[in-house]
């Protein structure tokens, strides 16, 4: 059962404080993830208060709580950079002004084109090797000194 599997998931330490600070700085925040909307809704129920754009896989349930529909994100396996380009264009900012935080090999293309790339608790050597900053501690507040 999907809901049982995500039950133990928790928000990363310092995440809410980091999101609040970045919003206060009037930054546009985006989720580009291969994860499920259920995960985001579970760990951060008020995510819409923080994120301006969300690219994620969406599961929809019928009245019997059975999966009724799946809408996959177009931006996951190796093309998260396309989503970053789309948002930069829509917001009228150069890619050199963007920041990307990622942790795995499906983040590499976006990390390569962002103005600043941060590998946060990297799970693969490639993201670690190509990122401008590598953080190997479990506190999201640590990214703030590089962004604000």
């Amino acid at each position: 059962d999907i809901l049982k599997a995500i039950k133990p998931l928790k928000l990363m330490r310092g995440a809410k404080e980091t999101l609040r600070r970045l919003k206060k700085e009037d930054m546009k925040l985006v989720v580009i993830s291969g994860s499920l909307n259920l995960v985001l809704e579970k760990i951060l129920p008020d995510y819409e208060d923080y994120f301006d754009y969300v690219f994620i896989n969406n599961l929809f349930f019928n009245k019997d709580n059975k999966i009724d529909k799946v809408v996959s994100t177009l931006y996951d396996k190796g093309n998260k950079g396309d989503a970053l380009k789309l948002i930069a264009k829509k917001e009228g900012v150069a890619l050199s002004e963007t920041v990307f935080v990622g942790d795995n090999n499906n983040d590499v293309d976006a990390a390569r084109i962002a103005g600043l790339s941060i590998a946060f608790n990297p799970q693969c050597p490639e993201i670690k090797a190509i990122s401008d900053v590598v953080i190997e501690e479990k506190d999201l507040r640590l990214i703030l000194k590089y962004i604000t």
Side-chain angles (χ1 to χ4, degrees), residues 27-96:
M27 294 187 187
K28 297 290 182 184
L29 302 180
V30 181
V31 173
I32 308 171
S33 178
S35 188
L36 299 170
N37 62 320
L38 297 177
V39 173
L40 184 58
E41 292 164 4
K42 192 258 183 226
I43 63 172
L44 190 64
D46 56 346
Y47 73 92
E48 292 173 325
D49 294 341
Y50 299 101
F51 294 104
D52 300 284
Y53 301 91
V54 176
F55 300 99
I56 199 165
N57 296 302
N58 287 279
L59 296 181
F60 298 92
F61 296 86
N62 64 22
K63 63 182 175 38
D64 299 320
N65 246 3
K66 304 273 187 218
I67 296 174
D68 190 42
K69 183 177 170 185
V70 177
V71 178
S72 298
T73 178
L74 300 174
Y75 307 105
D76 182 22
K77 299 204 182 332
N79 63 349
K80 289 185 179 185
D82 291 341
L84 189 60
K85 289 176 191 173
L86 177 78
I87 298 305
K89 183 176 181 180
K90 196 170 197 171
E91 293 296 328
V93 299
L95 283 170
S96 61

Side-chain angles (χ1 to χ4, degrees), residues 88-135:
K89 183 176 181 180
K90 196 170 197 171
E91 293 296 328
V93 299
L95 283 170
S96 61
E97 297 177 68
T98 65
V99 177
F100 185 83
V101 180
D103 70 350
N104 221 321
N105 58 3
N106 63 340
D107 297 317
V108 169
D109 73 309
R112 285 188 200 279
I113 64 169
L116 173 66
S117 57
I118 301 173
F120 185 78
N121 291 301
Q123 302 300 305
C124 75
E126 191 175 4
I127 190 74
K128 191 174 180 178
I130 62 105
S131 292
D132 302 305
V133 175
V134 177
I135 297 172

